[in-house]
Amino acid sequence: MSTKRRRTAATVAAALAGSLLLASCGGSDSGAEDGKTLRLWHYEAPNSAMGVAWNEAIKEFEAKHPGVEVKFEEKGFEQIQKTAPMVLNSGDAPDLMEYNKGNATAGKLSQQGLLTDLTAEVTRHGWDKKISGGVRTISQYDTDGVMGSGKWYGVPNYAEYTMVYYNKDLFEKYGVAEPTTLGELTSAMDTFVAKGVTPLANGGAEYIAQQYLYQLALSKADRSWVDAYELYKGKTDFHDAAWTYAAETFADWVKKGYISKKSTGVKAEDAGVSFIQGKSPILFSGSWWYGRFKEENKFAWGTFLWPGSNLTLGSGGNLWVVPKGAKNKELAYDFIDITMSKKIQNLLGNKGGIPVAADPAAITDPQAKTLIADFNTLSGKDGLAFYPDWPVAGFYDVLVSETQKLITGSEKPDAYLSALQKAYDKGVPKT
Protein backbone atom coordinates (compact mmCIF):
# COMPACT_ATOMS: atom_id res chain seq x y z
CA MET A 1 0.00 0.00 0.00
CA SER A 2 1.86 1.96 0.18
CA THR A 3 1.82 3.19 0.52
CA LYS A 4 0.27 1.07 1.11
CA ARG A 5 1.42 -0.61 0.92
CA ARG A 6 1.77 0.39 0.25
CA ARG A 7 3.12 -1.04 -0.30
CA THR A 8 7.42 -5.67 -5.98
CA ALA A 9 8.01 -8.21 -8.30
CA ALA A 10 9.40 -8.26 -11.76
CA THR A 11 8.13 -11.78 -12.02
CA VAL A 12 6.66 -13.50 -9.04
CA ALA A 13 5.62 -16.60 -10.91
CA ALA A 14 8.67 -18.48 -9.72
CA ALA A 15 7.75 -17.73 -6.16
CA LEU A 16 4.42 -19.41 -6.62
CA ALA A 17 5.48 -22.27 -8.84
CA GLY A 18 4.71 -25.01 -6.36
CA SER A 19 3.01 -22.78 -3.87
CA LEU A 20 0.76 -19.79 -3.56
CA LEU A 21 1.18 -17.25 -2.22
CA LEU A 22 1.28 -5.76 8.97
CA ALA A 23 -0.39 -2.43 11.41
CA SER A 24 1.96 -2.40 14.08
CA CYS A 25 3.42 -3.52 17.09
CA GLY A 26 5.60 -3.19 20.07
CA GLY A 27 5.13 -1.68 23.49
CA SER A 28 6.33 1.73 24.48
CA ASP A 29 9.03 0.37 26.77
CA SER A 30 12.26 -0.50 25.00
CA GLY A 31 12.85 -3.71 26.89
CA ALA A 32 16.18 -5.32 27.63
CA GLU A 33 17.85 -8.11 25.75
CA ASP A 34 16.34 -10.69 28.08
CA GLY A 35 14.91 -13.10 25.54
CA LYS A 36 11.53 -12.71 27.25
CA THR A 37 9.90 -10.07 25.09
CA LEU A 38 9.31 -9.68 21.39
CA ARG A 39 8.32 -6.14 20.42
CA LEU A 40 6.40 -6.32 17.15
CA TRP A 41 5.11 -3.57 14.87
CA HIS A 42 2.91 -4.05 11.84
CA TYR A 43 0.12 -2.09 10.19
CA GLU A 44 -2.33 -4.67 8.82
CA ALA A 45 -6.00 -4.49 9.82
CA PRO A 46 -7.01 -7.26 12.26
CA ASN A 47 -9.51 -8.71 9.78
CA SER A 48 -7.20 -8.53 6.77
CA ALA A 49 -5.67 -11.79 5.57
CA MET A 50 -2.27 -10.76 6.91
CA GLY A 51 -3.69 -9.50 10.20
CA VAL A 52 -5.53 -12.78 10.79
CA ALA A 53 -2.51 -14.88 9.84
CA TRP A 54 -0.10 -12.91 11.97
CA ASN A 55 -2.39 -12.95 15.00
CA GLU A 56 -2.34 -16.73 14.69
CA ALA A 57 1.44 -16.60 14.33
CA ILE A 58 1.63 -14.70 17.63
CA LYS A 59 -0.32 -17.49 19.36
CA GLU A 60 1.92 -20.10 17.75
CA PHE A 61 5.03 -18.18 18.76
CA GLU A 62 4.00 -17.84 22.40
CA ALA A 63 3.06 -21.53 22.54
CA LYS A 64 6.54 -22.45 21.28
CA HIS A 65 8.27 -19.94 23.55
CA PRO A 66 6.85 -20.40 27.08
CA GLY A 67 7.43 -17.32 29.20
CA VAL A 68 8.00 -15.06 26.21
CA GLU A 69 5.51 -12.24 25.65
CA VAL A 70 4.76 -10.67 22.29
CA LYS A 71 4.18 -6.96 22.79
CA PHE A 72 2.24 -5.81 19.76
CA GLU A 73 1.11 -2.26 19.13
CA GLU A 74 -0.86 -1.38 16.03
CA LYS A 75 0.62 1.40 13.94
CA GLY A 76 -0.66 3.09 10.80
CA PHE A 77 0.99 2.75 7.42
CA GLU A 78 1.53 6.51 7.20
CA GLN A 79 2.85 6.58 10.77
CA ILE A 80 5.57 4.03 10.07
CA GLN A 81 6.29 5.53 6.65
CA LYS A 82 7.06 8.92 8.17
CA THR A 83 8.66 8.03 11.51
CA ALA A 84 10.63 4.83 10.91
CA PRO A 85 14.03 6.47 10.28
CA MET A 86 13.75 8.51 13.47
CA VAL A 87 12.50 5.60 15.60
CA LEU A 88 15.11 3.19 14.28
CA ASN A 89 17.82 5.72 15.01
CA SER A 90 16.71 5.87 18.65
CA GLY A 91 16.85 3.40 21.52
CA ASP A 92 13.15 2.59 21.12
CA ALA A 93 13.33 0.41 18.01
CA PRO A 94 11.11 -2.70 18.04
CA ASP A 95 12.56 -6.19 17.57
CA LEU A 96 10.58 -6.80 14.39
CA MET A 97 8.51 -4.58 12.17
CA GLU A 98 6.66 -4.56 8.88
CA TYR A 99 8.08 -2.01 6.50
CA ASN A 100 7.43 -0.93 2.96
CA LYS A 101 9.66 -2.39 0.27
CA GLY A 102 11.53 -0.55 -2.44
CA ASN A 103 14.47 1.77 -2.95
CA ALA A 104 12.91 4.78 -1.24
CA THR A 105 11.97 2.92 1.94
CA ALA A 106 13.65 -0.37 2.92
CA GLY A 107 16.49 0.39 0.51
CA LYS A 108 17.07 3.79 2.09
CA LEU A 109 17.07 2.37 5.64
CA SER A 110 19.50 -0.39 4.66
CA GLN A 111 21.83 2.19 3.14
CA GLN A 112 21.64 4.23 6.35
CA GLY A 113 22.67 1.18 8.41
CA LEU A 114 19.37 1.02 10.29
CA LEU A 115 18.42 -2.55 9.31
CA THR A 116 19.99 -5.90 10.20
CA ASP A 117 21.59 -7.89 7.39
CA LEU A 118 19.47 -11.06 7.30
CA THR A 119 21.48 -12.95 4.68
CA ALA A 120 22.83 -15.57 7.09
CA GLU A 121 19.41 -16.13 8.67
CA VAL A 122 17.76 -16.48 5.27
CA THR A 123 20.15 -19.29 4.41
CA ARG A 124 19.96 -20.91 7.85
CA HIS A 125 16.16 -21.05 7.85
CA GLY A 126 15.82 -21.85 4.15
CA TRP A 127 13.70 -18.81 3.40
CA ASP A 128 15.60 -18.33 0.16
CA LYS A 129 14.17 -21.68 -1.01
CA LYS A 130 10.64 -20.29 -0.55
CA ILE A 131 11.28 -16.78 -1.87
CA SER A 132 12.44 -16.51 -5.45
CA GLY A 133 11.88 -14.61 -8.67
CA GLY A 134 10.36 -11.18 -8.32
CA VAL A 135 9.55 -11.61 -4.63
CA ARG A 136 13.28 -11.86 -4.00
CA THR A 137 13.80 -8.61 -5.94
CA ILE A 138 12.34 -6.57 -3.07
CA SER A 139 14.20 -8.52 -0.37
CA GLN A 140 17.76 -7.65 -1.41
CA TYR A 141 19.49 -4.27 -1.63
CA ASP A 142 22.93 -3.22 -2.79
CA THR A 143 25.20 -0.65 -1.14
CA ASP A 144 23.29 2.18 -2.84
CA GLY A 145 19.99 0.88 -1.46
CA VAL A 146 18.78 -0.29 -4.87
CA MET A 147 16.64 -3.44 -4.85
CA GLY A 148 17.33 -6.61 -6.78
CA SER A 149 20.78 -7.65 -5.61
CA GLY A 150 23.06 -7.58 -2.59
CA LYS A 151 22.28 -8.48 1.00
CA TRP A 152 18.91 -9.58 2.33
CA TYR A 153 17.37 -6.86 4.50
CA GLY A 154 13.77 -8.03 4.47
CA VAL A 155 11.58 -11.12 4.24
CA PRO A 156 8.14 -10.97 2.55
CA ASN A 157 5.75 -13.81 3.33
CA TYR A 158 3.03 -12.80 0.90
CA ALA A 159 2.63 -11.11 -2.47
CA GLU A 160 0.20 -8.46 -3.67
CA TYR A 161 -1.21 -6.80 -6.76
CA THR A 162 -3.81 -4.25 -7.72
CA MET A 163 -7.18 -4.92 -9.29
CA VAL A 164 -10.54 -3.32 -9.95
CA TYR A 165 -13.05 -4.06 -7.19
CA TYR A 166 -16.64 -3.51 -8.25
CA ASN A 167 -20.05 -3.58 -6.61
CA LYS A 168 -22.12 -6.09 -8.61
CA ASP A 169 -25.36 -4.89 -7.03
CA LEU A 170 -24.79 -1.29 -8.14
CA PHE A 171 -23.70 -2.44 -11.60
CA GLU A 172 -26.93 -4.42 -11.90
CA LYS A 173 -29.03 -1.56 -10.51
CA TYR A 174 -27.77 0.80 -13.22
CA GLY A 175 -27.68 -1.79 -15.98
CA VAL A 176 -23.89 -1.85 -16.30
CA ALA A 177 -22.04 -4.99 -17.44
CA GLU A 178 -18.62 -5.99 -16.15
CA PRO A 179 -16.10 -4.16 -18.38
CA THR A 180 -13.59 -6.18 -20.39
CA THR A 181 -11.97 -3.22 -22.20
CA LEU A 182 -10.97 0.28 -21.16
CA GLY A 183 -13.66 1.60 -23.50
CA GLU A 184 -16.29 -0.42 -21.66
CA LEU A 185 -14.92 0.80 -18.33
CA THR A 186 -15.19 4.46 -19.35
CA SER A 187 -18.67 3.82 -20.76
CA ALA A 188 -19.66 2.27 -17.42
CA MET A 189 -18.33 5.31 -15.58
CA ASP A 190 -20.28 7.61 -17.92
CA THR A 191 -23.45 5.72 -17.01
CA PHE A 192 -22.83 6.16 -13.28
CA VAL A 193 -22.05 9.87 -13.68
CA ALA A 194 -25.29 10.33 -15.64
CA LYS A 195 -27.15 8.83 -12.68
CA GLY A 196 -25.45 11.17 -10.22
CA VAL A 197 -23.03 8.56 -8.89
CA THR A 198 -19.26 9.21 -8.69
CA PRO A 199 -17.90 5.90 -9.97
CA LEU A 200 -14.35 5.78 -8.58
CA ALA A 201 -13.55 5.70 -4.88
CA ASN A 202 -10.46 7.84 -4.44
CA GLY A 203 -8.08 8.88 -1.69
CA GLY A 204 -6.13 11.95 -2.75
CA ALA A 205 -4.43 12.41 0.61
CA GLU A 206 -2.64 9.07 0.38
CA TYR A 207 -1.61 6.41 -2.11
CA ILE A 208 -4.81 5.63 -4.00
CA ALA A 209 -4.86 8.64 -6.34
CA GLN A 210 -1.26 8.20 -7.48
CA GLN A 211 -1.91 4.51 -8.12
CA TYR A 212 -4.77 5.31 -10.50
CA LEU A 213 -2.43 7.58 -12.40
CA TYR A 214 0.46 5.09 -12.43
CA GLN A 215 -1.86 2.38 -13.74
CA LEU A 216 -2.88 4.63 -16.61
CA ALA A 217 0.80 5.08 -17.45
CA LEU A 218 1.44 1.35 -17.20
CA SER A 219 -1.30 0.68 -19.74
CA LYS A 220 0.94 2.45 -22.29
CA ALA A 221 4.26 1.07 -21.01
CA ASP A 222 6.41 -2.07 -21.23
CA ARG A 223 8.95 -3.84 -19.03
CA SER A 224 11.91 -1.75 -20.19
CA TRP A 225 9.95 1.40 -19.22
CA VAL A 226 9.38 -0.03 -15.73
CA ASP A 227 13.01 -1.09 -15.33
CA ALA A 228 14.19 2.39 -16.33
CA TYR A 229 11.85 4.06 -13.83
CA GLU A 230 12.23 1.68 -10.90
CA LEU A 231 15.73 0.23 -11.33
CA TYR A 232 17.48 3.08 -13.19
CA LYS A 233 18.14 0.86 -16.21
CA GLY A 234 17.69 3.73 -18.62
CA LYS A 235 16.44 7.30 -18.56
CA THR A 236 12.97 8.19 -17.31
CA ASP A 237 11.20 10.98 -19.16
CA PHE A 238 8.02 12.14 -17.44
CA HIS A 239 6.92 13.85 -20.65
CA ASP A 240 6.98 10.62 -22.65
CA ALA A 241 3.84 9.13 -24.18
CA ALA A 242 2.96 6.94 -21.18
CA TRP A 243 3.26 9.59 -18.44
CA THR A 244 1.63 12.24 -20.61
CA TYR A 245 -1.33 9.98 -21.35
CA ALA A 246 -1.66 9.16 -17.65
CA ALA A 247 -1.65 12.76 -16.43
CA GLU A 248 -3.95 14.04 -19.16
CA THR A 249 -6.40 11.14 -18.78
CA PHE A 250 -6.46 11.44 -14.98
CA ALA A 251 -7.19 15.18 -15.22
CA ASP A 252 -9.88 14.45 -17.80
CA TRP A 253 -11.46 11.86 -15.54
CA VAL A 254 -11.73 14.45 -12.79
CA LYS A 255 -13.41 16.88 -15.21
CA LYS A 256 -15.85 14.17 -16.32
CA GLY A 257 -16.79 13.39 -12.72
CA TYR A 258 -15.27 9.91 -12.59
CA ILE A 259 -13.15 11.14 -9.67
CA SER A 260 -14.49 13.66 -7.17
CA LYS A 261 -12.66 16.99 -6.82
CA LYS A 262 -13.50 16.73 -3.14
CA SER A 263 -11.35 13.60 -2.79
CA THR A 264 -8.09 15.55 -2.35
CA GLY A 265 -8.20 15.25 1.45
CA VAL A 266 -9.60 11.73 1.57
CA LYS A 267 -7.46 9.01 3.20
CA ALA A 268 -7.05 5.53 1.75
CA GLU A 269 -9.06 4.08 4.64
CA ASP A 270 -12.00 6.36 3.87
CA ALA A 271 -11.88 5.44 0.18
CA GLY A 272 -12.03 1.77 1.10
CA VAL A 273 -14.89 2.41 3.54
CA SER A 274 -16.87 4.23 0.84
CA PHE A 275 -16.70 1.02 -1.20
CA ILE A 276 -17.62 -1.13 1.81
CA GLN A 277 -20.62 1.09 2.50
CA GLY A 278 -21.85 0.76 -1.08
CA LYS A 279 -21.35 4.44 -1.87
CA SER A 280 -18.73 3.92 -4.59
CA PRO A 281 -19.29 1.28 -7.27
CA ILE A 282 -15.58 0.95 -8.19
CA LEU A 283 -12.28 0.97 -6.30
CA PHE A 284 -8.93 0.31 -7.92
CA SER A 285 -6.56 -0.83 -5.20
CA GLY A 286 -4.57 -3.72 -3.84
CA SER A 287 -5.14 -7.29 -2.76
CA TRP A 288 -4.50 -6.14 0.82
CA TRP A 289 -8.20 -5.11 0.90
CA TYR A 290 -9.47 -8.50 -0.25
CA GLY A 291 -9.85 -10.25 3.10
CA ARG A 292 -11.48 -7.23 4.68
CA PHE A 293 -13.97 -6.87 1.84
CA LYS A 294 -14.84 -10.55 2.18
CA GLU A 295 -15.76 -9.95 5.79
CA GLU A 296 -17.36 -6.50 5.67
CA ASN A 297 -19.07 -6.08 2.29
CA LYS A 298 -22.81 -6.61 2.55
CA PHE A 299 -23.37 -6.78 -1.21
CA ALA A 300 -22.34 -8.94 -4.13
CA TRP A 301 -18.92 -7.88 -5.42
CA GLY A 302 -16.19 -9.05 -7.71
CA THR A 303 -12.84 -8.13 -9.18
CA PHE A 304 -11.16 -7.94 -12.55
CA LEU A 305 -7.70 -6.95 -13.77
CA TRP A 306 -7.30 -3.47 -15.24
CA PRO A 307 -8.57 -3.87 -18.81
CA GLY A 308 -6.26 -3.34 -21.76
CA SER A 309 -3.02 -3.45 -19.81
CA ASN A 310 -0.30 -6.10 -19.56
CA LEU A 311 1.16 -4.39 -16.50
CA THR A 312 -0.26 -3.48 -13.12
CA LEU A 313 1.02 -2.42 -9.75
CA GLY A 314 2.24 -5.33 -7.68
CA SER A 315 5.12 -7.02 -5.97
CA GLY A 316 6.13 -9.23 -3.14
CA GLY A 317 4.42 -8.03 0.01
CA ASN A 318 5.76 -5.66 2.63
CA LEU A 319 8.84 -6.84 4.45
CA TRP A 320 9.59 -8.18 7.86
CA VAL A 321 12.68 -6.19 8.82
CA VAL A 322 14.79 -6.46 11.97
CA PRO A 323 16.04 -3.06 13.13
CA LYS A 324 19.78 -2.81 13.71
CA GLY A 325 19.07 -1.76 17.29
CA ALA A 326 16.61 -4.59 18.04
CA LYS A 327 17.13 -6.07 21.52
CA ASN A 328 15.90 -9.62 20.85
CA LYS A 329 16.88 -10.51 17.30
CA GLU A 330 16.77 -14.30 17.73
CA LEU A 331 13.13 -14.08 18.77
CA ALA A 332 12.46 -11.93 15.71
CA TYR A 333 13.99 -14.59 13.44
CA ASP A 334 11.86 -17.27 15.10
CA PHE A 335 8.69 -15.24 14.50
CA ILE A 336 9.53 -14.71 10.82
CA ASP A 337 10.06 -18.45 10.49
CA ILE A 338 6.61 -19.16 11.93
CA THR A 339 4.97 -16.79 9.43
CA MET A 340 6.71 -18.78 6.67
CA SER A 341 5.35 -22.11 7.97
CA LYS A 342 2.74 -24.10 6.01
CA LYS A 343 0.14 -23.60 8.74
CA ILE A 344 0.30 -19.80 8.66
CA GLN A 345 0.79 -19.64 4.89
CA ASN A 346 -2.28 -21.82 4.28
CA LEU A 347 -4.34 -19.67 6.66
CA LEU A 348 -3.18 -16.51 4.90
CA GLY A 349 -4.22 -17.96 1.55
CA ASN A 350 -7.69 -19.00 2.67
CA LYS A 351 -8.32 -15.59 4.25
CA GLY A 352 -7.72 -13.72 0.99
CA GLY A 353 -3.96 -13.24 0.96
CA ILE A 354 -1.42 -14.42 -1.60
CA PRO A 355 1.05 -16.65 0.27
CA VAL A 356 4.55 -17.44 -0.95
CA ALA A 357 4.86 -20.90 0.58
CA ALA A 358 1.40 -22.44 0.97
CA ASP A 359 0.25 -25.93 0.02
CA PRO A 360 -1.91 -25.33 -3.10
CA ALA A 361 -4.26 -28.17 -2.11
CA ALA A 362 -4.90 -26.47 1.23
CA ILE A 363 -6.41 -23.35 -0.38
CA THR A 364 -10.09 -24.27 -0.52
CA ASP A 365 -11.91 -20.93 -0.46
CA PRO A 366 -13.33 -20.23 -3.97
CA GLN A 367 -12.71 -16.48 -3.83
CA ALA A 368 -9.17 -17.07 -2.61
CA LYS A 369 -8.56 -19.42 -5.52
CA THR A 370 -9.72 -16.72 -7.96
CA LEU A 371 -7.50 -14.11 -6.31
CA ILE A 372 -4.45 -16.36 -6.59
CA ALA A 373 -5.33 -17.43 -10.14
CA ASP A 374 -5.42 -13.79 -11.27
CA PHE A 375 -2.11 -13.20 -9.56
CA ASN A 376 -0.61 -16.17 -11.36
CA THR A 377 -1.90 -14.74 -14.64
CA LEU A 378 -0.11 -11.48 -13.96
CA SER A 379 3.12 -13.00 -12.71
CA GLY A 380 3.14 -15.50 -15.56
CA LYS A 381 3.30 -12.68 -18.12
CA ASP A 382 5.82 -10.62 -16.11
CA GLY A 383 3.05 -8.15 -15.37
CA LEU A 384 3.94 -6.83 -11.92
CA ALA A 385 5.34 -3.31 -12.15
CA PHE A 386 6.10 -2.29 -8.55
CA TYR A 387 4.70 1.04 -7.19
CA PRO A 388 5.11 4.66 -8.29
CA ASP A 389 6.65 6.00 -5.07
CA TRP A 390 9.51 3.49 -4.88
CA PRO A 391 12.30 4.91 -7.02
CA VAL A 392 13.61 7.73 -4.82
CA ALA A 393 13.37 8.79 -1.19
CA GLY A 394 10.62 11.29 -0.47
CA PHE A 395 8.83 10.64 -3.77
CA TYR A 396 5.69 9.37 -2.05
CA ASP A 397 5.00 12.79 -0.52
CA VAL A 398 5.74 14.51 -3.85
CA LEU A 399 3.28 12.24 -5.65
CA VAL A 400 0.60 12.89 -3.04
CA SER A 401 0.91 16.68 -3.11
CA GLU A 402 1.29 16.99 -6.87
CA THR A 403 -1.59 14.60 -7.64
CA GLN A 404 -3.78 16.59 -5.26
CA LYS A 405 -3.07 19.65 -7.42
CA LEU A 406 -4.09 17.69 -10.49
CA ILE A 407 -7.38 16.78 -8.81
CA THR A 408 -8.18 20.37 -7.83
CA GLY A 409 -7.10 21.68 -11.22
CA SER A 410 -4.57 24.05 -9.68
CA GLU A 411 -1.85 22.39 -11.75
CA LYS A 412 -2.03 21.33 -15.40
CA PRO A 413 -0.70 17.95 -16.59
CA ASP A 414 2.44 19.42 -18.16
CA ALA A 415 3.43 21.27 -14.96
CA TYR A 416 2.55 18.19 -12.91
CA LEU A 417 4.91 16.03 -14.96
CA SER A 418 7.68 18.64 -14.76
CA ALA A 419 7.38 18.67 -10.97
CA LEU A 420 7.68 14.87 -10.86
CA GLN A 421 10.69 14.98 -13.19
CA LYS A 422 12.48 17.48 -10.95
CA ALA A 423 11.90 15.45 -7.77
CA TYR A 424 12.81 12.17 -9.45
CA ASP A 425 16.03 13.47 -11.00
CA LYS A 426 17.10 14.97 -7.69
CA GLY A 427 16.74 11.61 -5.94
CA VAL A 428 18.20 9.20 -8.50
CA PRO A 429 21.63 7.93 -7.35
CA LYS A 430 24.47 9.58 -9.24
CA THR A 431 26.73 7.01 -10.87
Side-chain angles (χ1 to χ4, degrees):
M1 69 150 32
S2 207
T3 312
K4 206 144 42 3
R5 301 203 307 336
R6 12 288 280 79
R7 60 206 87 187
T8 294
T11 166
V12 189
L16 286 93
S19 57
L20 313 167
L21 249 243
L22 306 156
S24 286
C25 5
S28 57
D29 56 318
S30 305
E33 186 179 357
D34 56 7
K36 297 296 183 183
T37 304
L38 173 69
R39 296 184 63 221
L40 170 68
W41 290 10
H42 77 69
Y43 44 75
E44 303 299 337
N47 59 353
S48 70
M50 284 70 73
V52 170
W54 296 343
N55 282 338
E56 185 62 30
I58 290 174
K59 296 177 184 176
E60 187 95 349
F61 177 89
E62 290 184 332
K64 291 183 176 180
H65 297 77
V68 177
E69 178 186 4
V70 176
K71 290 189 175 180
F72 165 78
E73 181 185 336
E74 183 173 349
K75 305 289 184 183
F77 172 83
E78 294 285 323
Q79 182 181 10
I80 290 184
Q81 172 94 352
K82 294 181 183 301
T83 64
M86 179 178 64
V87 172
L88 299 189
N89 230 343
S90 72
D92 197 41
D95 299 308
L96 179 65
M97 64 182 282
E98 177 188 19
Y99 197 60
N100 201 14
K101 64 276 182 191
N103 304 339
T105 45
K108 191 67 175 179
L109 293 191
S110 71
Q111 188 185 25
Q112 293 172 340
L114 297 177
L115 301 181
T116 300
D117 174 7
L118 300 175
T119 306
E121 295 302 318
V122 168
T123 303
R124 180 163 73 97
H125 291 279
W127 299 331
D128 54 338
K129 302 295 191 298
K130 299 178 178 180
I131 301 171
S132 57
V135 175
R136 182 175 295 199
T137 299
I138 60 161
S139 305
Q140 297 175 270
Y141 298 86
D142 64 17
T143 54
D144 291 323
V146 178
M147 63 185 178
S149 65
K151 297 176 180 178
W152 288 71
Y153 285 100
V155 178
N157 62 6
Y158 69 100
E160 61 188 35
Y161 68 99
T162 52
M163 68 201 81
V164 180
Y165 293 93
Y166 72 107
N167 183 322
K168 290 185 176 181
D169 289 353
L170 285 180
F171 269 60
E172 182 178 351
K173 177 181 178 180
Y174 293 106
V176 179
E178 178 186 326
T180 58
T181 66
L182 185 60
E184 290 177 0
L185 176 61
T186 55
S187 177
M189 293 192 291
D190 284 333
T191 299
F192 284 118
V193 170
K195 298 294 184 180
V197 177
T198 302
L200 298 178
N202 183 47
E206 292 181 357
Y207 63 88
I208 288 184
Q210 60 187 257
Q211 292 186 354
Y212 277 113
L213 196 139
Y214 187 53
Q215 178 58 66
L216 287 168
L218 290 175
S219 69
K220 301 296 183 181
D222 58 18
R223 176 55 57 188
S224 63
W225 184 95
V226 174
D227 287 347
Y229 177 61
E230 299 279 1
L231 303 175
Y232 320 133
K233 294 180 179 180
K235 179 164 177 58
T236 290
D237 177 8
F238 282 87
H239 288 90
D240 67 10
W243 281 113
T244 300
Y245 166 78
E248 291 180 348
T249 301
F250 185 90
D252 185 55
W253 282 12
V254 174
K255 290 178 182 176
K256 289 181 175 178
Y258 300 170
I259 294 170
S260 171
K261 288 185 177 180
K262 297 179 180 179
S263 64
T264 51
V266 175
K267 302 283 190 180
E269 168 69 12
D270 296 323
V273 168
S274 74
F275 183 73
I276 292 170
Q277 293 176 340
K279 296 177 180 178
S280 301
I282 302 169
L283 169 67
F284 174 70
S285 195
S287 50
W288 51 86
W289 290 101
Y290 206 94
R292 183 173 175 187
F293 288 168
K294 279 188 64 177
E295 181 170 317
E296 296 186 28
N297 289 354
K298 304 303 181 186
F299 50 83
W301 61 281
T303 65
F304 55 88
L305 298 177
W306 189 272
S309 179
N310 289 321
L311 297 168
T312 196
L313 297 79
S315 68
N318 289 319
L319 303 170
W320 287 127
V321 299
V322 178
K324 192 73 171 180
K327 305 294 193 301
N328 294 289
K329 294 184 179 181
E330 287 299 326
L331 294 179
Y333 305 149
D334 287 350
F335 187 86
I336 293 173
D337 199 45
I338 288 173
T339 67
M340 295 293 287
S341 69
K342 280 285 191 287
K343 177 180 178 180
I344 301 303
Q345 287 286 298
N346 293 346
L347 175 62
L348 195 157
N350 277 309
K351 291 297 182 180
I354 306 169
V356 297
D359 175 4
I363 308 302
T364 57
D365 180 86
Q367 281 185 306
K369 285 180 177 291
T370 299
L371 177 74
I372 293 167
D374 280 349
F375 180 82
N376 287 339
T377 296
L378 277 172
S379 59
K381 63 182 181 183
D382 194 18
L384 296 167
F386 314 137
Y387 293 85
D389 60 300
W390 283 12
V392 298
F395 205 49
Y396 176 84
D397 291 333
V398 173
L399 282 166
V400 169
S401 62
E402 293 299 322
T403 306
Q404 285 176 320
K405 295 174 186 176
L406 207 56
I407 295 172
T408 62
S410 63
E411 192 166 69
K412 301 303 181 186
D414 186 65
Y416 169 82
L417 295 171
S418 293
L420 297 191
Q421 186 80 62
K422 181 179 179 181
Y424 180 89
D425 289 346
K426 183 179 179 180
V428 170
K430 303 299 184 286
T431 55

